[in-house]
Amino acid sequence: MKLSNMTAFLSLLIFILLVAIEARNLVGVERVELPNPASMVTAYWQKMLPHSPMPTAILELLNPPTDVNQGVHGNGYDQVYGNGYDGGYINGYSHSYGNGYSNGYFHKANLHFLEDALKPGSIITPYITGIATRAPFLRRDIADSIPMSTKNFADILAMFSPISLVMADGIQSALDTCEHHRPIKGEERACATSIESVVEFAMSVLGTRDLRAFSPDVPLEGIMLGNMYKVVAVRTVAGLRGDTVTCHTMRFPFAVFYCHAINPTRVYAVVLESEEDGSGSGSGTPEKMEALAVCHLDTSRFDPKTPLFVEHNLRPGDASVCHFVSRDSVIWAPVAAVITHGDEQVSIAE
């Protein structure tokens, strides 16, 4: 580890320990238990979204592990998102749209690809991050009572103690992201702290209550080793209207989603089959999986230094830019824009 990185890590460690000590001494801050209102979430979903099966990203939060406050670590989330979404993913979008280009998210050479790569027979090296958390949903009244502000960082640590350093770092980053993120022109975004606020944001942005939600069938730990996969099949999931909302979980003691829309987009379900022989590494690379790819159709505000543009000698606006989403992501689309299995496929060349 470089000396500068080690110094930064030690500074962060000391800061979190001091805040943790302060949090223990707080008076009047009630500890929040983590109920798992699975039946309430299910009932709400069936009432509000009768035309949408519940996606994997939501289902897996209804039966969370018991140690969610320890955080998910070592799954690529830190490598791409820095110390949280604000470290790379979210401001990475802003950077790609012309506000700079220094965050880790846009430095991954195989993270983005051109839309015409999604053709059966193509060979790609997908970069799909691991999940950020498996934290449970809170009831809306409880979630709404928790102040999502950096000035309340110590209070939140006390509410959910004991907290690991990994989780504490995630909380700080999530709060900073929700409080200070600067959206790009035309971007709509929100930090949603309950299932109700997630659904309401998607409905508001997309202008309809008739929605479908999708999540990919990819490994929890993601795919980040540079393994080669063949594109076996491609199906257009949403592409008629070009409007979608994507929600990603953030590392937090309870389910918090960063939801945003940078439209127009097109979404594909992509069946990938490993080209590796599988005889040696024992890395657990899946032989076949169905990923979800989001393609941004208007790249006119992307930074010209985006690696994909440089590699292909392109300028912003010349081509659509695509990326895969993690297992804990939810993509929302109007039912009217969803292309079912029986519909004629939309050509990728369109």
Side-chain angles (χ1 to χ4, degrees), residues 192-206:
T193 59
S194 65
I195 186 63
E196 293 90 348
S197 55
V198 171
V199 172
E200 288 170 6
F201 176 79
M203 289 180 172
S204 173
V205 171
L206 299 174

Side-chain angles (χ1 to χ4, degrees), residues 144-157:
D144 287 349
S145 71
I146 297 172
M148 296 291 288
S149 170
T150 52
K151 68 181 181 181
N152 299 108
F153 176 49
D155 289 1
I156 293 174
L157 291 185

Side-chain angles (χ1 to χ4, degrees), residues 64-81:
T66 58
D67 60 345
V68 293
N69 283 1
Q70 302 312 303
V72 179
H73 190 56
N75 58 359
Y77 177 88
D78 296 294
Q79 298 174 31
V80 173
Y81 302 121

Side-chain angles (χ1 to χ4, degrees), residues 268-306:
Y268 298 97
V270 185
V271 178
L272 299 173
E273 188 174 74
S274 177
E275 288 287 285
E276 310 295 325
D277 59 22
S279 60
S281 66
S283 62
T285 301
E287 292 185 3
K288 185 178 285 190
M289 59 184 173
E290 183 171 274
L292 284 178
V294 178
C295 295
H296 296 277
L297 307 184
D298 179 6
T299 60
S300 59
R301 295 189 184 94
F302 272 54
D303 192 322
K305 296 179 182 178
T306 297

Side-chain angles (χ1 to χ4, degrees), residues 229-249:
Y229 279 79
K230 178 191 290 184
V231 177
V232 176
V234 181
R235 178 171 59 85
T236 309
V237 173
L240 295 180
R241 284 185 50 190
D243 289 342
T244 59
V245 170
T246 302
C247 296
H248 317 273
T249 60

Side-chain angles (χ1 to χ4, degrees), residues 159-350:
M159 290 176 188
F160 296 96
S161 64
I163 292 283
S164 71
L165 291 176
V166 171
M167 179 57 77
D169 188 25
I171 293 171
Q172 175 69 30
S173 296
L175 294 174
D176 187 63
T177 294
C178 295
E179 193 172 16
H180 298 124
H181 172 56
R182 298 183 300 275
I184 64 168
K185 183 179 179 181
E187 179 186 10
E188 297 183 79
R189 44 83 65 184
C191 287
T193 59
S194 65
I195 186 63
E196 293 90 348
S197 55
V198 171
V199 172
E200 288 170 6
F201 176 79
M203 289 180 172
S204 173
V205 171
L206 299 174
T208 178
R209 297 169 66 89
D210 202 9
L211 300 179
R212 285 287 302 272
F214 304 91
S215 290
D217 183 15
V218 296
L220 291 170
E221 65 275 13
I223 301 292
M224 297 163 291
L225 299 178
N227 301 83
M228 292 187 297
Y229 279 79
K230 178 191 290 184
V231 177
V232 176
V234 181
R235 178 171 59 85
T236 309
V237 173
L240 295 180
R241 284 185 50 190
D243 289 342
T244 59
V245 170
T246 302
C247 296
H248 317 273
T249 60
M250 305 178 77
R251 185 181 289 141
F252 217 76
F254 62 93
V256 175
F257 282 83
Y258 181 86
C259 297
H260 64 138
I262 307 174
N263 288 311
T265 55
R266 196 153 38 227
V267 180
Y268 298 97
V270 185
V271 178
L272 299 173
E273 188 174 74
S274 177
E275 288 287 285
E276 310 295 325
D277 59 22
S279 60
S281 66
S283 62
T285 301
E287 292 185 3
K288 185 178 285 190
M289 59 184 173
E290 183 171 274
L292 284 178
V294 178
C295 295
H296 296 277
L297 307 184
D298 179 6
T299 60
S300 59
R301 295 189 184 94
F302 272 54
D303 192 322
K305 296 179 182 178
T306 297
L308 190 67
F309 289 158
V310 174
E311 178 186 354
H312 294 276
N313 195 28
L314 295 171
R315 294 176 300 178
D318 283 351
S320 301
V321 171
C322 308
H323 60 88
F324 292 111
V325 297
S326 58
R327 185 183 180 95
D328 57 351
S329 298
V330 181
I331 296 176
W332 301 87
V335 168
V338 173
I339 300 174
T340 63
H341 289 276
D343 292 334
E344 183 178 354
Q345 295 295 297
V346 174
S347 170
I348 293 179
E350 291 182 359

